[in-house]
Amino acid sequence: MGLFDFFKKKSNEEWFEIYSPLNGKVIDLSEVPDDAFSQKMVGDGCAIDPAEGAICAPVSGDIGIFETNHAVTFETENGLELIVHFGVDTVELKGEGFKKLTDADSAKVGDKLVEYDLAFLKEKAPSVKTPVIIASMDAVEKIDVVAKGKDVKVGDLIMKVLLKK
């Protein structure tokens, strides 16, 4: 393999970008007080300690909004599957504190999907820390959480994912 082949191979790496679905501060998954998320049983990624706003699409692709509006799933063209799960045990609120904004089955990065009432949810849920999880980890070589510890707005780059070839 010549020197130029090495550079060609390097630039072939396909990093996929994931953008913030919420306004807030990017934190480590270990800070989410729920074992399923903090111990990465559902998948890997990061979490966001949210500010007021809405859950927006972190990627473009097909979407599924849970009946209780507390979580949204995403599937991208390259097969990556993500879930944005607002807070901990928020399913128990049966939709209270959330308002679905679309009936579409696909979205583009930044599209508003679900509004949330942060004050209400802080009072009623054990935590509002929101995991942004890659559920299809079998397709992932590596994750780089580029915004850990930073305050972000919807649409800011938070993670890059290297997909397996």
Side-chain angles (χ1 to χ4, degrees):
M1 181 163 82
L3 187 58
F4 290 108
D5 293 329
F6 174 76
F7 285 114
K8 267 191 224 160
K9 189 176 189 318
K10 271 297 194 208
S11 65
N12 269 353
E13 284 189 345
E14 211 181 304
W15 285 90
F16 184 77
E17 296 182 335
I18 298 171
Y19 301 90
S20 185
L22 308 170
N23 297 328
K25 184 174 185 167
V26 178
I27 58 174
D28 196 85
L29 271 181
S30 65
E31 294 183 48
V32 177
D34 182 317
D35 286 349
F37 297 118
S38 64
Q39 295 180 16
K40 302 179 182 178
M41 294 176 202
V42 180
D44 202 350
C46 64
I48 296 176
D49 198 352
E52 195 60 66
I55 300 172
C56 299
V59 293
S60 294
D62 294 338
I63 64 169
I65 299 175
F66 282 55
E67 196 177 312
T68 50
N69 301 327
H70 75 288
V72 185
T73 59
F74 302 88
E75 186 172 351
T76 65
E77 269 185 20
N78 59 15
L80 203 61
E81 294 172 14
L82 286 92
I83 184 167
V84 175
H85 188 287
F86 194 97
V88 173
D89 292 342
T90 45
V91 67
E92 305 298 333
L93 300 174
K94 297 178 176 42
E96 268 190 284
F98 298 98
K99 181 182 170 196
K100 186 176 174 183
L101 300 176
T102 183
D103 286 320
D105 53 10
S106 66
K108 290 194 278 313
V109 170
D111 286 355
K112 284 186 176 182
L113 306 173
V114 176
E115 264 176 9
Y116 53 86
D117 179 340
L118 190 59
F120 174 84
L121 293 166
K122 277 184 171 177
E123 191 180 301
K124 299 288 185 185
S127 172
V128 293
K129 291 176 179 171
T130 298
V132 181
I133 301 280
I134 296 160
S136 54
M137 284 305 296
D138 51 343
V140 173
E141 186 74 41
K142 191 168 151 188
I143 297 175
D144 183 10
V145 180
V146 297
K148 193 177 288 179
K150 294 182 181 160
D151 286 318
V152 293
K153 298 267 183 243
V154 166
D156 289 351
L157 181 66
I158 58 168
M159 282 190 279
K160 291 188 341 189
V161 177
L162 181 60
L163 299 172
K164 290 181 181 170
K165 290 282 180 211

